[in-house]
Amino acid sequence: MRRVRAVLRAALVTATAFAVVMLPPPLHAPATAPPAVPDDSRPPAPGGDLFDRVLADAARRTAEHEKVRARADRLRREVARLRAAAQAAEAEEAAETAETAETVEGAAGKAAEGPEAAGPGDRADAKGETSAAGGKAAGGGKAAAGGKAAGGGKAAEPRSRTGTRRVTRADVDRAVTELRAAERQRARIRDQLWRQLRKVQPGFTTAAPDGCSLGRRSGPPHPRPDHWVPPTARHRLTAGWDARGAHWRSRHTGQDFAVPKGTPVRAVGPGTVRVVSCGDAYGNQVVVRHADGYFTQYAHLSRVDVRPGQRVVAGQRLGTAGATGNATGPHLHFEVRVTPYLGSAVPPLPWLGRHGVELRAQPAKR
């Protein structure tokens, strides 16, 4: 019996060895490690060199966006001016046409009275006046101003009675075309910024606010202001835009408002709460999207009184000031961004000024 067991054991070992050697390699070859993912294909860690390079490139794109935005604003004002001027020119031209028609009708009526009512000289004058006025009328009041020369030359520019050039609908159309091109360029830059920064800050706009210090949800103030307001009622401006120093890795991208802990922080204008998050260098923060496409950020809050998706009005309480995150003391860090992401900030005080909120920065630093 023992001999039979030994023979069977030997046969089993021999068969196993044969299978290992003869079967195709994929069935027994050891698994290889997955290929390494290049560093550039992963979101860079905040604070790393690659992250800093992305932010620097985003800052350049943001500056370009603001130049195009300023140009679009100028063109928008120019379009409004040209439209008003074109309407005035059309009204003036209509008045001239009506005046010419009255002159022709009066001359024709006078000529129709016959020789009994007018002498030979009067009839000649009437005939000449009719001819001259009729020629002007035939051109719709434009023969002298905008008609082509008899020799087929270039048409003269339409002129007003004072001799200035009249604005035409063609001028308005050209300005509108330039404005639309500037707006398309601005949209392209904003979309590029959005994609670039979303890649290196994944999950920021979808972060759950459950871990933040949440207070009771706020409501609109009473009475509601009919204008934009500063983010805090009383404050002292400290570190401003582009400040340098040991407190920041490269530069300051917002405006600090020195206020006591617990000071109400309010929305500067109407909008929708896009982000409520906590846990990073900004501590408890709220990001609001406004109708002009810009975002405002309120950081280092001690408490948050709004929720993502909530609509707010100017002056509505978003939370209270504090020193959460990387802060040396209680204050509000306020930013204005082209996108909700870090890296697309613009100077906040000029932006507030365009909305009627005038604040004067102080040179002192915290």
Side-chain angles (χ1 to χ4, degrees):
M1 190 67 182
R2 292 179 180 176
R3 182 177 299 175
V4 173
R5 291 178 179 174
V7 171
L8 291 175
R9 188 180 299 110
L12 180 61
V13 171
T14 302
T16 302
F18 177 81
V20 170
V21 173
M22 298 301 295
L23 286 179
L27 296 180
H28 70 274
T32 58
V37 180
D39 290 341
D40 288 346
S41 66
R42 293 196 301 262
D49 292 339
L50 180 56
F51 187 76
D52 289 344
R53 290 199 299 271
V54 171
L55 293 188
D57 182 66
R60 288 190 292 270
R61 288 179 184 268
T62 302
E64 181 183 359
H65 175 277
E66 288 304 283
K67 289 181 180 179
V68 177
R69 191 267 316 154
R71 180 169 179 267
D73 288 347
R74 290 193 299 270
L75 286 170
R76 193 172 292 106
R77 291 191 295 268
E78 179 67 8
V79 167
R81 185 191 69 81
L82 290 175
R83 280 176 174 164
Q87 291 176 355
E90 289 174 355
E92 182 180 358
E93 185 176 350
E96 290 180 357
T97 302
E99 181 181 345
T100 300
E102 291 178 0
T103 303
V104 172
E105 183 179 356
K110 189 174 181 180
E113 292 179 358
E116 294 80 5
D122 291 339
R123 288 196 299 271
D125 293 343
K127 183 177 180 181
E129 188 175 354
T130 303
S131 177
K136 186 176 182 182
K142 301 179 183 178
K148 287 188 176 181
K154 184 178 179 180
E157 292 183 343
R159 298 279 176 178
S160 66
R161 291 180 176 179
T162 59
T164 59
R165 180 182 177 276
R166 277 180 179 166
V167 176
T168 64
R169 289 293 171 180
D171 298 323
V172 178
D173 293 341
R174 281 192 293 269
V176 169
T177 300
E178 292 183 22
L179 173 59
R180 289 175 178 172
E183 288 292 0
R184 287 194 298 270
Q185 184 181 3
R186 178 187 176 190
R188 284 195 300 270
I189 298 172
R190 184 183 62 240
D191 293 343
Q192 291 170 356
L193 273 171
W194 201 295
R195 291 192 299 268
Q196 180 185 27
L197 295 174
R198 180 175 55 191
K199 183 178 180 181
V200 298
Q201 300 171 64
F204 174 67
T205 58
T206 57
D210 301 336
C212 303
S213 178
L214 300 176
R216 180 177 298 179
R217 190 187 297 243
S218 71
H222 182 76
R224 297 188 183 188
D226 57 356
H227 51 81
W228 290 55
V229 299
T232 58
R234 295 183 178 180
H235 55 263
R236 179 171 60 89
L237 299 180
T238 51
W241 167 262
D242 208 29
R244 313 280 172 157
H247 294 301
W248 309 283
R249 183 177 180 88
S250 57
R251 65 188 181 97
H252 196 224
T253 54
Q255 175 64 55
D256 285 352
F257 294 74
V259 291
K261 182 179 180 180
T263 299
V265 173
R266 55 192 186 177
V268 295
T272 303
V273 177
R274 180 64 187 268
V275 176
V276 173
S277 70
C278 58
D280 61 8
Y282 289 107
N284 298 330
Q285 63 175 309
V286 174
V287 178
V288 176
R289 186 187 189 280
H290 301 281
D292 62 357
Y294 285 86
F295 296 79
T296 51
Q297 180 210 31
Y298 311 78
H300 304 308
L301 304 178
S302 60
R303 190 186 75 228
V304 175
D305 296 334
V306 290
R307 306 294 184 270
Q310 180 178 344
R311 294 187 62 82
V312 295
V313 300
Q316 184 166 344
R317 191 180 71 254
L318 303 176
T320 54
T324 57
N326 294 348
T328 58
H331 71 285
L332 168 68
H333 174 85
F334 175 78
E335 277 194 28
V336 179
R337 298 174 175 176
V338 176
T339 76
Y341 298 100
L342 170 67
S344 60
V346 302
L349 296 189
W351 183 86
L352 285 173
R354 295 201 299 271
H355 291 84
V357 181
E358 296 294 339
L359 299 174
R360 188 177 298 277
Q362 298 179 1
K365 296 183 180 181
R366 274 193 300 110

